[in-house]
Amino acid sequence: MQYISSLSGICASFPRRLALLGSTGTIGGSALSVVRESREYFHVYALAGAKNIQKLAQQANEFTPPYLAVLYEQDIPQLKSLLKPGYSPVILHGKQGYKEISSLPEVDTVLSAQVGASGLAATVSAVNAGKHVALANKESLVLAGAYIRSLAYAKNAAVIPVDSEHYALFQCLAPHTNTAQNVKNLILTASGGPFHGKSREFLHHVGIEDALKHPNWKMGAKITIDSATLMNKGLEVIEACHLYGISLEQVDVAVHPQSVVHSLAVWQDGSVTAQLAVPDMKLPICAAFSYPLMLTQKNNSMPSLDLTAQILSFEKPDRTNFPCLDLAYQAYRDNLCIELNAANEIAVERFLAKEIAFLQIPQLIEAMLNQAAKLDRLSLAAGTPDKVLQQIEERDIHIRTIAKTWQAPLT
Ligand code: MG
């Protein structure tokens, strides 16, 4: 079993030279912890951050990569002023800068950890350059999974997800070469987020602070809200179909509030393989950076998993109060994933801006999917990366524009 890769083109030598896109975010921070603990295996060659210039400068001063990138050109003077004496890296900027960073000839491994659809261009650029792509930006596969898959094979690139559930499935399936014939279905676990078990009446009144309190994982705001609505799991279901080449009907979700079992494979004979680990993103990051070899995370401070310390429970997701999960299934079936993602990103943005209520997030997304069903479906099967990205961007902007002014009473 392998991820999206032919294996033949994969860099198998160490140290890996890394470009970390989104280095100032939560995943970026964990990635740098992995590097800190395994400096003989991983070298930072480029860092890119969007907003937190102070943090980017701090990271740059520690790892002194020869390349940096920021999103906005006006941030370059501030960044330069914060760099230590004698260190003067090349500083790129904007979308073009991110694309350059992700395709630098000296870099073999790219971490794509930007938030949302904005991460797609750099992901595609890295795949097109034949890189080993550690993909934390799951939206890239949601938006253009089939295209990225075919591009990766054509360019001898590898796409390895940085996601605890998909890392778990990789470990469950790895020893088997005939997975497709023998797997009955895959079960992605979901913590259920902060509102697991809550009634609709309760959900009517939840605020931003409540939704941002994830019980098990420390993550950025967008993915934390996605976890609270179960949209994150919906996006992971779509990701699973692209990663493993299996049908939507073969992917199930189970709520597992302890976040110890990260996913399961159910075999045709009824047996089940599960992967268990402490919830820490350094594990999937280290595995993605070292794939197809498997380096073990060396952090001695990592707590051991104590199975006697807690009861592990599993239940069906509440699809009535958390309809985002089914909206993701529907979007994949109807070939409306670009539209689903655009609607979700605006819904989350508007919830965080206090423009809509928590329960209006699925309401907005459903309204956008209904609108989008009347449009022609995009066909991304062929075309240069620039052409495909342009097609996706046009549809993405179209849905965002409608979603930004959507209004309806809370139902
Ligand atoms: Mg996940």
Side-chain angles (χ1 to χ4, degrees):
M1 181 269 171
Q2 62 197 50
Y3 285 129
I4 300 176
S5 75
S6 64
L7 283 181
S8 64
I10 287 182
C11 161
S13 64
F14 290 91
R16 296 268 161 94
R17 280 167 299 176
L18 310 174
L20 307 183
L21 308 182
S23 69
T24 54
T26 316
I27 292 288
S30 296
L32 288 172
S33 297
V34 168
V35 175
R36 231 174 252 121
E37 290 155 16
S38 304
R39 286 183 189 265
E40 68 274 42
Y41 296 121
F42 307 123
H43 289 176
V44 178
Y45 202 82
L47 291 171
K51 288 177 193 158
N52 194 337
I53 302 302
Q54 294 236 342
K55 195 167 180 182
L56 182 62
Q58 204 178 16
Q59 295 174 340
N61 285 332
E62 181 184 350
F63 292 94
T64 60
Y67 284 86
L68 299 176
V70 291
L71 198 52
Y72 306 108
E73 190 174 7
Q74 63 264 33
D75 290 331
I76 294 179
Q78 191 201 350
L79 179 59
K80 278 186 176 168
S81 73
L82 293 168
L83 298 179
K84 63 186 179 185
Y87 169 49
S88 48
V90 176
I91 304 179
L92 303 168
H93 68 272
K95 274 188 185 177
Q96 189 55 34
Y98 274 64
K99 278 170 75 174
E100 278 181 49
I101 288 266
S102 60
S103 55
L104 285 170
E106 299 89 343
V107 163
D108 49 61
T109 303
V110 176
L111 172 71
S112 177
Q114 293 169 264
V115 179
S118 63
L120 176 64
T123 302
V124 169
S125 167
V127 172
N128 194 43
K131 304 299 185 195
H132 180 112
V133 184
L135 187 65
N137 178 262
K138 66 188 67 159
E139 290 85 352
S140 290
L141 285 180
V142 170
L143 293 168
Y147 179 73
I148 288 174
R149 197 179 169 88
S150 62
L151 190 64
Y153 281 110
K155 301 289 182 176
N156 258 341
V159 180
I160 317 301
V162 172
D163 204 328
S164 59
E165 292 79 358
H166 295 304
Y167 170 52
L169 285 173
F170 175 68
Q171 286 200 321
C172 292
L173 303 174
H176 304 276
T177 52
N178 53 352
T179 302
Q181 297 93 323
N182 286 333
V183 161
K184 191 172 168 193
N185 58 303
L186 304 175
I187 302 175
L188 302 180
T189 55
S191 68
F195 304 139
H196 170 59
K198 300 297 185 193
S199 67
R200 192 163 177 85
E201 172 57 26
F202 179 93
L203 295 176
H204 263 289
H205 306 290
V206 297
I208 299 168
E209 292 73 20
D210 308 311
L212 287 175
K213 275 185 212 148
H214 196 281
N216 305 338
W217 294 97
K218 188 178 174 301
M219 305 180 289
K222 197 264 178 183
I223 188 172
T224 306
I225 302 300
D226 282 350
S227 295
T229 60
L230 289 194
M231 179 56 87
N232 183 52
K233 210 51 51 183
L235 299 179
E236 286 175 1
V237 166
I238 295 171
E239 206 184 0
C241 294
H242 290 300
L243 282 169
Y244 307 111
I246 58 169
S247 72
L248 190 67
E249 290 66 35
Q250 283 176 287
V251 189
D252 288 338
V253 171
V255 173
H256 168 53
Q258 299 81 20
S259 295
V260 168
V261 175
H262 295 292
S263 277
L264 312 94
V266 182
W267 302 93
Q268 291 291 357
D269 65 4
S271 59
V272 178
T273 308
Q275 188 256 23
L276 291 75
V278 288
D280 191 317
M281 286 307 289
K282 283 189 288 184
L283 277 68
I285 290 168
C286 189
F289 283 176
S290 54
Y291 179 83
L293 299 179
M294 192 173 156
L295 293 181
T296 309
Q297 176 59 33
K298 291 199 300 185
N299 183 4
N300 294 330
S301 64
M302 189 82 75
S304 302
L305 185 59
D306 180 4
L307 285 174
T308 64
Q310 57 193 324
I311 291 168
L312 302 182
S313 62
F314 301 88
E315 53 199 279
K316 289 187 173 164
D318 177 351
R319 292 173 183 266
T320 309
N321 285 334
F322 299 91
C324 282
L325 182 59
D326 281 341
L327 289 172
Y329 273 82
Q330 180 196 328
Y332 185 78
R333 256 184 227 111
D334 294 347
N335 192 14
L336 292 172
C337 291
I338 296 164
E339 294 81 351
L340 171 88
N341 186 69
N344 181 53
E345 287 192 22
I346 294 299
V348 172
E349 205 176 285
R350 292 186 65 185
F351 171 68
L352 290 172
K354 298 188 176 172
E355 287 177 24
I356 62 171
F358 182 77
L359 285 176
Q360 284 178 302
I361 294 175
Q363 213 181 315
L364 185 159
I365 297 166
E366 188 174 10
M368 293 307 108
L369 288 182
N370 289 339
Q371 289 257 0
K374 299 171 199 156
L375 303 170
D376 290 338
R377 300 297 189 273
L378 285 187
S379 171
L380 302 175
T384 61
D386 284 347
K387 176 79 187 150
V388 169
L389 289 172
Q390 188 194 341
Q391 268 183 294
I392 293 173
E393 193 176 334
E394 280 170 11
R395 182 57 61 92
D396 176 85
I397 290 172
H398 177 74
I399 297 297
R400 280 172 198 260
T401 307
I402 308 171
K404 278 177 186 169
T405 55
W406 173 88
Q407 281 191 332
L410 180 58
T411 54

